Amino acid sequence: MRSLTPLAIDRVTREVGAGDGDERRARSRVAALSQVSHLGVCVPLDVMREHDAVVVCSPRVAGVPLDRAGRVEDLGAWVWLVSELAHALAALHGSGLSHGDLSPSNVVVGSRPVLVDMVGPALGRERGTPGFAAPERAAGGPPSPASDVYSLGALALAAAGEHIRTAAQAWTAPMVEEDPAARPSARAVAQGVTRCAPPVRWVPAADRAEARAAADRRARTVSDPRAWHWRLRRRPWRLAAAAVVTVVIAGWLAWGPDPA
């Protein structure tokens, strides 16, 4: 039995269950996910035990969680977000898998949006995030490609800013149909939504603020204690003056009046 190492700071861990049964199911899920080849899917690294708890270890994804990224105000950026997530879901569904809890907290936006938290929602104990879970999931049904598409539609609508909300409502309406059979596939969403507008990569407001702060840190002026040598070399008269002052002070200390 392996234990978690506190030195794995480049990784994210999440407890997904307890006992041998949950460990077997988690390991089976991770093995299946390892066959998914798509950069928009965060494939876990391993399953570990911390006493009786079953813990999934995943690589840390660079970027901003969608629930902290702000609203998308540009239609092309919104199309990019939705189509990238739909492509990732299509890869997952093509391998016979579903996410089970597609919500803003389970998407990280960096160079592309990435699906995270890939194990816990699929083990049967969770019903998805309220407001984003499909009706059949909220009622206790298992994850499915159709329930993922519903969640994608709800997520896409929640991410849309006021200026593009009308268009977002029109394009997500088929995805959030009550009847799972009436919803399009993730692949159809990925291909169809690009007819709305040309995709343009979205940089979340939080990401832009961090980039500006990093640029400010890099541009900060640092004083070099050796700089006075350079200044004196550029202005020889200062060097001569400094030498005279030094001689006067030294002479005064050596030959000045002896204090009574």
Side-chain angles (χ1 to χ4, degrees), residues 17-222:
D20 295 340
D22 280 347
E23 182 181 5
R24 285 193 298 271
R25 284 187 286 273
R27 289 192 181 279
S28 176
R29 171 73 171 180
V30 170
L33 286 167
S34 68
Q35 303 303 310
V36 179
S37 179
H38 194 282
L39 294 176
V41 177
C42 178
V43 177
L45 299 168
D46 200 2
V47 177
M48 303 179 185
R49 289 287 285 275
E50 181 72 7
H51 304 295
D52 195 46
V54 178
V55 180
V56 173
C57 179
S58 302
R60 188 178 301 278
V61 178
V64 181
L66 188 56
D67 59 350
R68 300 206 307 265
R71 298 290 182 88
V72 187
E73 299 295 344
D74 177 74
L75 190 57
W78 182 82
V79 168
W80 173 83
L81 176 67
V82 176
S83 62
E84 288 286 327
L85 287 173
H87 277 298
L89 283 178
L92 198 63
H93 298 165
S95 297
L97 304 172
S98 302
H99 187 285
D101 187 16
L102 182 57
S103 62
S105 62
N106 286 335
V107 172
V108 177
V109 182
S111 59
R112 60 171 46 81
V114 178
L115 302 174
V116 299
D117 193 12
M118 302 300 302
V119 177
L123 298 189
R125 294 187 177 184
E126 302 177 16
R127 295 187 177 185
T129 300
F132 299 95
E136 64 272 18
R137 280 287 285 146
S144 69
S147 68
D148 281 349
V149 169
Y150 182 101
S151 297
L152 175 60
L155 177 152
L157 186 57
E162 285 300 318
H163 296 299
I164 62 171
R165 192 163 184 83
T166 300
Q169 286 176 326
W171 283 90
T172 57
M175 302 163 65
V176 294
E177 286 280 356
E178 289 289 318
D179 181 5
R183 300 168 199 156
S185 67
R187 188 171 302 279
V189 172
Q191 295 172 347
V193 73
T194 55
R195 299 173 191 165
C196 175
V200 177
R201 185 195 163 194
W202 177 49
V203 179
D207 215 6
R208 291 196 298 271
E210 174 56 29
R212 286 194 298 270
D216 290 343
R217 289 193 294 270
R218 288 194 298 270
R220 186 179 300 156
T221 300
V222 178

